[in-house]
Amino acid sequence: MTGNATVRRIAAWTFGLFAIPLSILPFYAYATYDGTGKILSLEVVRHFKGPNLGTISPVDAARYRSTHLGYRDGLLTLAFGGVMDDSTIDGATPEATTIPTKRFADDLRMLVAAGYHTVTPTQVAAWHAGRASLPANAVLLTFDGGRMDTTLNAAPIVHGLHLKATVFMIGGAYRQAPVFYSSPAQLRSLERQGWSIQAHAISGHGSVSVGQGHRLPYLSARRAQGGTLESIPAFTTRVDDDYRDAKQAAEKVAEAPVIAFSWPFGAYGADHRTNDSRTAKINLGLARTRYALGFNDDGQDTYALAGRAGDPLRISRLRVDPTLTPHALFERLELAIAASATIGQGHA
Amino acid sequence: MRRLIVLLVGLAAIGGGTAVALASRSHAERQALPEARSGQLQVIAFTEARPTAPARGSLSTHLASISAISPAWLALGPNGTVAYESTDAFSRSLATRGADLLPVLRDPARRISTVLARTASRKQTAHRLGVMLRALGAQGIVLELGPVPATERTALPSFVRDLRDELPARSRILVVVPPISGAASQRTAAGYDLRDLSRPATLVLRGWGGQHASSGAHPIASLGWFKQTLRYTLAHAPRSRVIVALPTWGAVWSADGVVRQRTQAELFKLATPAALRQAAGAQIAAKAGSVGWVESDRSLQLKLEVLRAAHVAGVALWVRGGESSGIWDEPLLDPGAS
């Protein structure tokens, strides 16, 4: 009897010792495979350790510096998606362009080595208005949405490399999804680090039904109502409310003036994602009354420098493809500069 | 427990076998894709910036006959800028299978005179193109600048030399030159120094360009005209620096005199078999219906034989899909020909 009791006690202890690490498995799986879990675990990690600030070999740095085709009086604008080592989004969406943290850091080190100078929307607006000039090799770094990974991963890297960046926040997003979006306090802390807070959307970060089971971006298409499309005046009122509300939401967070708008999904009616060709002109006209600058994703295949003479409400951004290595991104930007820098303005 | 172990081993065996089978099939599929041709003879495929589905099918199927692909990616823009298309994944995929990438630079808005007028603008444009070609991963460029104004033609070789200085030594520069067959075309093309152009570049002789009274240039050219044009060019440039472009398409004339391009496949349906076989004298192309002409297989065969006898550096073709399958069987385009 005593022997049986001993065996049972040993077995119980053995089982207990194995059960402890096994009980951690569900939490590990949650933190590794679930979108919400990834963000929460990242928040915990960032309390103790910052992200990798990237590396660049002296040879690469020298090559970027010597071969970079400098420019003046022009602007490159880059649009980054999420900065996470694994995507928090399932399926293909415009925001699913998540770039690994180290790749992001390496990209920024490449920009620094090549001699790019980051600027703010305020500088860009003054340049467009003819009140100021931009530094040589000006580049605007932008992040849409005000995502949590922007605050946890991108911001420390931008700060560590002494760069400036801009976040286009979605009004009300933190209230609806506090795990995925930065809080107002977090966004203000970004501003204190030198970031610029600008407007992205309120309801505009969504889609509308256009009939027959189809949906199109909120700001670029007339909504179907009761079998017919909303009237142009109704569309105009709807989108104008969004521009107004998005600006007000950003102004509640930012201390500096909110002067720029970035169209959700880059959609404002100028491409195929519309059911009425008039929506582009309406959107541009309304945005122009409230913002000094407007950013879209037009012409990814033919991306070129923005010039002072261009429309400040139609500044195109190059989406940074997460599959591009720093060298490939460098060459992509060189292509844009070589194609569009005006002869005679002199290279930096 | 024993049954569980047996089940697990069985599942592992099935999974492993499936993985091996899939890997073998994938390897076989990769092996089935043809590689581009290599060797001395150059066969250049001109394409649109984004080839259509029929063109992609033709290019992919006949890649073994092609040594380089030239998509129309570049165009001179205002103030010395260059518009570009950068993400034609298909053309790039052909480059991974061994085809050289030689993007075409066009001048649709007739801006070349501004570029050639001053040394500074020539050098700036050449430097700009050098950076772009490096960024695009291209092995060279084709300059299809259209009719350069007579007053600027003498500066064209200097521009090509400036471009040569900007590119790696192994890069290729091809310059499309107009066909010159007789006194009249010599006058029209006065100022083009083919010999000087052929030093830093390879010439691409446009092997078509008959003129229709009301509609201008069209792709049909008689064999006699073709031979005359080739003779003139080879008298002024080394044959190792001459590639001849052939039209693998036809044309239809509408009632208002507008000429529209059509593929061989479309026009062969309209032409009679007799017309397609006919290849005598000046009529080298087949009449398709009442208002169309198309290069027949026989027509192209004769022209390719002329090129083979002349030992030129290569052949260039417009690949839009719908080309006659016969052309790819011609000896000069056969993958085994060098």
Side-chain angles (χ1 to χ4, degrees), chain B residues 300-337:
Chain B
L300 288 169
Q301 179 191 40
L302 289 172
K303 288 175 181 170
L304 285 167
E305 284 179 8
V306 167
L307 297 181
R308 190 160 60 149
H311 299 290
V312 294
V315 176
L317 307 169
W318 261 108
V319 180
R320 292 196 174 97
E323 296 83 31
S324 166
S325 58
I327 189 171
W328 298 108
D329 296 332
E330 290 300 324
L332 206 63
L333 298 179
D334 184 277

Side-chain angles (χ1 to χ4, degrees), chain B residues 168-238:
Chain B
R170 291 173 63 89
S171 293
R172 292 148 71 187
I173 302 175
L174 279 60
V175 181
V176 178
V177 294
I180 303 171
S181 60
S185 52
Q186 282 182 42
R187 281 194 296 274
T188 308
Y192 280 107
D193 187 337
L194 298 186
R195 194 171 304 280
D196 203 13
L197 276 173
S198 69
R199 290 194 180 105
T202 298
L203 307 183
V204 179
L205 171 63
R206 188 161 42 86
W208 67 84
Q211 293 285 330
H212 188 267
S214 62
S215 58
H218 61 76
I220 309 308
S222 71
L223 188 60
W225 178 92
F226 184 80
K227 287 179 178 174
Q228 267 182 289
T229 303
L230 182 63
R231 200 176 301 128
Y232 180 93
T233 305
L234 293 182
H236 292 82

Side-chain angles (χ1 to χ4, degrees), chain B residues 38 40 76-77 100 139 148 176 203 205 208 247 279 297 333:
Chain B
S38 56
Q40 292 286 344
L76 286 180
D100 281 348
Q139 285 74 46
V148 176
V176 178
L203 307 183
L205 171 63
W208 67 84
D297 284 351
L333 298 179

Side-chain angles (χ1 to χ4, degrees), chain B residues 113-321:
Chain B
S113 55
T114 309
V115 172
L116 297 178
R118 296 183 300 120
T119 303
S121 54
R122 266 193 353 242
K123 291 189 180 295
Q124 289 271 10
T125 303
H127 182 59
R128 188 197 300 278
L129 287 170
V131 173
M132 294 178 75
L133 293 173
R134 185 197 76 215
L136 287 168
Q139 285 74 46
I141 187 171
V142 176
L143 303 179
E144 189 181 2
L145 302 172
V148 176
T151 50
E152 309 299 343
R153 285 174 193 168
T154 52
L156 187 57
S158 299
F159 172 63
V160 179
R161 276 191 285 273
D162 290 337
L163 189 53
R164 168 59 63 203
D165 290 340
E166 294 288 342
L167 298 178
R170 291 173 63 89
S171 293
R172 292 148 71 187
I173 302 175
L174 279 60
V175 181
V176 178
V177 294
I180 303 171
S181 60
S185 52
Q186 282 182 42
R187 281 194 296 274
T188 308
Y192 280 107
D193 187 337
L194 298 186
R195 194 171 304 280
D196 203 13
L197 276 173
S198 69
R199 290 194 180 105
T202 298
L203 307 183
V204 179
L205 171 63
R206 188 161 42 86
W208 67 84
Q211 293 285 330
H212 188 267
S214 62
S215 58
H218 61 76
I220 309 308
S222 71
L223 188 60
W225 178 92
F226 184 80
K227 287 179 178 174
Q228 267 182 289
T229 303
L230 182 63
R231 200 176 301 128
Y232 180 93
T233 305
L234 293 182
H236 292 82
R239 60 192 72 236
S240 63
R241 291 301 185 103
V242 174
I243 290 173
V244 180
L246 295 176
T248 50
W249 36 278
V252 293
W253 282 258
S254 59
D256 54 3
V258 174
V259 181
R260 290 186 179 79
Q261 292 177 2
R262 289 288 182 271
T263 66
Q264 286 178 311
E266 289 169 321
L267 291 174
F268 279 9
K269 290 178 195 167
L270 302 177
T272 64
L276 287 171
R277 281 195 302 271
Q278 187 178 5
Q283 184 174 314
I284 200 60
K287 195 169 182 183
S290 60
V291 290
W293 289 92
V294 62
E295 288 274 0
S296 64
D297 284 351
R298 177 68 178 147
S299 166
L300 288 169
Q301 179 191 40
L302 289 172
K303 288 175 181 170
L304 285 167
E305 284 179 8
V306 167
L307 297 181
R308 190 160 60 149
H311 299 290
V312 294
V315 176
L317 307 169
W318 261 108
V319 180
R320 292 196 174 97

